[in-house]
Amino acid sequence: MDELRAVARFASDCAEELLPVFETVAPNDLRPREAIIAARTFAGGAARSNLQRTAAVASHRAAKSVSEETARLAALACGDAAAAAYLHPIAKASQVGHILRAAALAARVAELRAGGTDHEGVRRQLDRAHAPVPEILRRYPAAPSGGSRVAQIIQQLDSAIRERSEIPPRRGHDTGTPPGSARSVG
């Protein structure tokens, strides 16, 4: 559970900065904010519950309710943060998206807002990938290839995080498991 909480924390750190992007377009729609709250609730130590699932689905529905691309991507990222609590321990490449999609969506929003490729958005997400996220990611096959820009960013993040040596945990977010200890997601 500690590892799932770390993944949910990483995803919510990436997605939370996008709330203003969505709320500027749909100020009365609280679904993405509620998804971040659900993700943070679980990441903070609460039991994994239906709250994360329903908040994720609701935020994804909120994405369908807006036409502006950056707002749509922001709501998707918030939903993905809540859904990160349900990362599956079976080592399938598709699970990499559950770890990295919120980060890729945040990087894509940064690109769109910058008017083109914005490597700073990717770097900002990479800087958030603290232990144990890289170790968890390395247990899965590489991200599958895809033609969309978000899929390309997921591959870029996946590759860069896997290549890094151990990244120390952020202060105050250590899982309590010594480096090199056996860990399992689930």
Side-chain angles (χ1 to χ4, degrees):
M1 275 303 148
D2 286 344
E3 289 186 340
L4 287 176
R5 285 185 173 88
V7 169
R9 184 178 306 109
F10 167 68
S12 58
D13 286 349
C14 296
E16 187 170 28
E17 73 181 33
L18 300 177
L19 282 172
V21 174
F22 179 83
E23 291 173 344
T24 297
V25 172
N28 297 321
D29 192 338
L30 299 177
R31 293 176 290 182
R33 181 170 293 280
E34 289 166 352
I36 293 296
I37 291 168
R40 294 260 185 232
T41 298
F42 171 69
R48 183 170 64 171
S49 70
N50 201 35
L51 173 66
Q52 288 78 34
R53 286 184 195 271
T54 57
V57 170
S59 192
H60 288 157
R61 285 187 181 136
K64 294 178 181 179
S65 73
V66 294
S67 59
E68 184 179 311
E69 185 176 11
T70 56
R72 184 178 56 78
L73 297 175
L76 289 173
C78 293
D80 288 348
Y86 286 92
L87 172 68
H88 200 286
I90 295 175
K92 290 186 176 182
S94 61
Q95 293 299 308
V96 172
H98 292 295
I99 299 169
L100 297 177
R101 189 164 173 242
L105 289 165
R108 179 64 180 144
V109 168
E111 282 183 349
L112 291 169
R113 294 181 87 190
T117 303
D118 176 17
H119 297 292
E120 188 56 39
V122 170
R123 274 191 221 87
R124 190 168 47 252
Q125 305 321 314
L126 285 172
D127 288 344
R128 291 183 167 124
H130 299 282
V133 173
E135 297 159 18
I136 296 166
L137 185 62
R138 289 182 192 116
R139 290 189 214 132
Y140 292 88
S145 61
S148 75
R149 182 63 186 134
V150 171
Q152 292 168 356
I153 295 171
I154 288 173
Q155 288 179 303
Q156 184 180 1
L157 289 167
D158 182 41
S159 200
I161 292 169
R162 286 173 192 271
E163 290 173 7
R164 285 183 169 183
S165 59
E166 178 63 29
I167 302 168
R170 293 184 311 179
R171 253 188 205 146
H173 294 290
D174 190 291
T175 63
T177 306
S181 295
R183 294 181 176 162
S184 65
V185 176

